[in-house]
């Protein structure tokens, strides 16, 4: 039996943390239910499975990129790209749900989206496959950005 490598353990732990933290920061209560939402708003039950798959793919991408990195500088780049994304990923839910500021979350999601573009572009020379594993995350955040924008438009002001 082979034990998981340290990068795999770290990537899985980070994915579990991000998923758990995001879930804890996303109370679906009366405030959220009373928001006007666009017609394309997915059902609430879809978000948990979607994020589980997306964060699992991101963890897989991190391990592949780490293992494919040809040297210390490339591994450092991989870590910086994923840590930057994790910081922006972690910031969105508290802004939107805890602070009840979809307008501020809409500003923040630009940085989350940019961190995903940076991951796709930055991982490409290291591993095409690792880069492609981030694409579903980028697509989901692109859609979530549109949802966030529609909620702001339909419900402003939020101050």
């Amino acid at each position: 039996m082979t034990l998981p490598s340290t990068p795999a353990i770290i990537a899985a732990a980070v994915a579990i943390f991000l998923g758990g933290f995001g879930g804890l920061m996303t109370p679906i209560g009366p405030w959220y239910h009373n928001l006007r939402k666009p017609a394309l708003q997915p059902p609430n039950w879809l978000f948990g499975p979607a994020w589980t798959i997306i964060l699992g793919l991101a963890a897989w991408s991190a391990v592949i990129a780490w293992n494919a990195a040809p040297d210390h500088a490339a591994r450092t780049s991989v870590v910086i790209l994923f840590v930057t994304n994790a910081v922006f990923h972690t910031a969105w839910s508290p802004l939107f749900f805890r602070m009840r500021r979809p307008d501020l979350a809409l500003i923040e999601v630009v940085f989350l989206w940019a961190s995903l573009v940076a991951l796709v572009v930055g991982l490409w020379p290291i591993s095409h496959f690792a880069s492609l594993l981030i694409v579903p995350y980028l697509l989901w955040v692109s859609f979530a950005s549109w949802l966030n924008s529609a909620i702001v438009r339909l419900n402003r002001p939020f101050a």
Side-chain angles (χ1 to χ4, degrees):
M1 181 170 106
T2 335
L3 295 176
S5 67
T6 301
I9 293 168
I10 292 169
V14 170
I16 291 166
F17 169 79
L18 291 174
F21 182 81
L24 290 173
M25 291 294 115
T26 307
I28 304 296
W31 173 82
Y32 179 75
H33 286 297
N34 291 328
L35 288 173
R36 289 184 301 276
K37 298 174 193 78
L40 291 178
Q41 176 78 23
N44 291 338
W45 64 262
L46 181 64
F47 288 91
W51 280 117
T52 300
I53 292 166
I54 287 164
L55 292 172
L57 292 173
W60 188 16
S61 170
V63 173
I64 290 169
W66 177 268
N67 289 332
D71 54 32
H72 179 73
R75 283 186 171 166
T76 300
S77 293
V78 168
V79 170
I80 290 169
L81 288 166
F82 277 100
V83 167
T84 301
N85 171 255
V87 168
F88 290 124
H89 178 97
T90 303
W92 188 87
S93 288
L95 288 170
F96 191 99
F97 289 99
R98 292 292 175 166
M99 293 177 63
R100 298 180 177 177
R101 293 297 305 265
D103 54 339
L104 296 180
L106 184 59
I107 294 167
E108 193 280 339
V109 81
V110 172
F111 295 97
L112 174 57
W113 188 87
S115 76
L116 290 164
V117 171
L119 269 168
V120 170
V121 171
L123 295 179
W124 188 258
I126 296 168
S127 167
H128 295 346
F129 186 57
S131 177
L132 292 173
L133 287 171
I134 299 300
V135 171
Y137 188 178
L138 177 61
L139 294 174
W140 183 254
V141 168
S142 297
F143 178 63
S145 299
W146 176 82
L147 289 174
N148 191 159
S149 175
I151 288 170
V152 168
R153 183 178 36 80
L154 292 169
N155 295 280
R156 63 172 46 124
F158 289 99

